[in-house]
Amino acid sequence: LAIEIFKQWTDTDIYAIDGNHDRWFLKSNGAKIVKDIDEAIPNFHFIGHDEGSISLNGKATLWLWHGEDGNSYALSYRLQKILESLTGGEKPNAMIAGHTHKYVDIFERHVFCTSVGCMQSQTPWMRSKRIAAHPGFAIIDYWVNDSGICKMTHTWHPFYS
């Protein structure tokens, strides 16, 4: 089903990393879900396990990061700690993070950071752990000049059940 859905997107390239559920399928039965999608669709690009970088016109770096850490009390704290953990030359110009099913957008250490939410409502497991879900999606635009990313805008589209 994922291949059929992604085949409909033909306007631009798609860049993807895998996450903890994809790795569970890989470890349990050898299924390479994201790599299989990559092999089936010409404009789909698997760029790494858990993380990957995308060059923006050779002037800036967008870092996709999944992680296996948990939620934090304050929404911005997780993104701040991820950036603090990077050594000097590793800091990207922008970061999109997943895993926690939360939406938050911050500008920290001169990095545009977005945690992207999720595509599902809160599960019973999440409710049992008192973890909220932020279902929806963001459309993010980065403006890049010779100095890197000079502006970012985003629109959050929440889903309500």
Side-chain angles (χ1 to χ4, degrees):
L1 180 62
I3 290 172
E4 295 307 314
I5 291 170
F6 282 119
K7 273 186 179 177
Q8 296 175 39
W9 187 270
T10 58
D11 296 342
T12 59
D13 287 334
I14 301 166
Y15 297 90
I17 60 175
D18 61 11
N20 56 304
H21 292 276
D22 304 303
R23 284 191 305 280
W24 181 86
F25 282 107
L26 178 62
K27 291 174 188 173
S28 67
N29 61 26
K32 299 175 184 172
I33 296 170
V34 184
K35 280 192 151 200
D36 287 345
I37 297 169
D38 177 33
E39 291 171 8
I41 302 172
N43 64 320
F44 190 100
H45 308 285
F46 173 67
I47 59 171
H49 296 289
D50 202 50
E51 66 179 271
S53 293
I54 302 167
S55 174
L56 302 178
N57 297 335
K59 304 291 183 181
T61 301
L62 170 61
W63 187 42
L64 305 182
W65 192 79
H66 187 270
E68 292 196 23
D69 56 331
N71 286 277
S72 55
Y73 179 74
L75 292 176
S76 65
Y77 185 74
R78 178 177 184 254
L79 296 177
Q80 292 169 307
K81 296 308 285 183
I82 294 166
L83 288 174
E84 285 176 14
S85 73
L86 300 176
T87 59
E90 294 180 333
K91 193 173 71 167
N93 302 97
M95 176 178 75
I96 297 176
H99 186 65
T100 61
H101 299 219
K102 301 290 187 289
Y103 169 72
V104 64
D105 191 60
I106 66 170
F107 183 70
E108 181 70 26
R109 292 184 69 208
H110 300 279
V111 178
F112 295 93
C113 302
T114 304
S115 180
V116 292
C118 58
M119 300 299 283
Q120 69 181 43
S121 297
Q122 183 187 46
T123 65
W125 180 87
M126 292 175 74
R127 195 169 13 267
S128 76
K129 302 289 184 189
R130 297 179 309 280
I131 299 171
H134 296 171
F137 66 94
I139 296 176
I140 305 169
D141 290 307
Y142 299 103
W143 277 258
V144 179
N145 64 18
D146 288 337
S147 300
I149 296 176
C150 59
K151 180 170 83 168
M152 184 270 285
T153 63
H154 71 277
T155 305
W156 175 246
H157 299 268
F159 297 149
Y160 298 103
S161 50

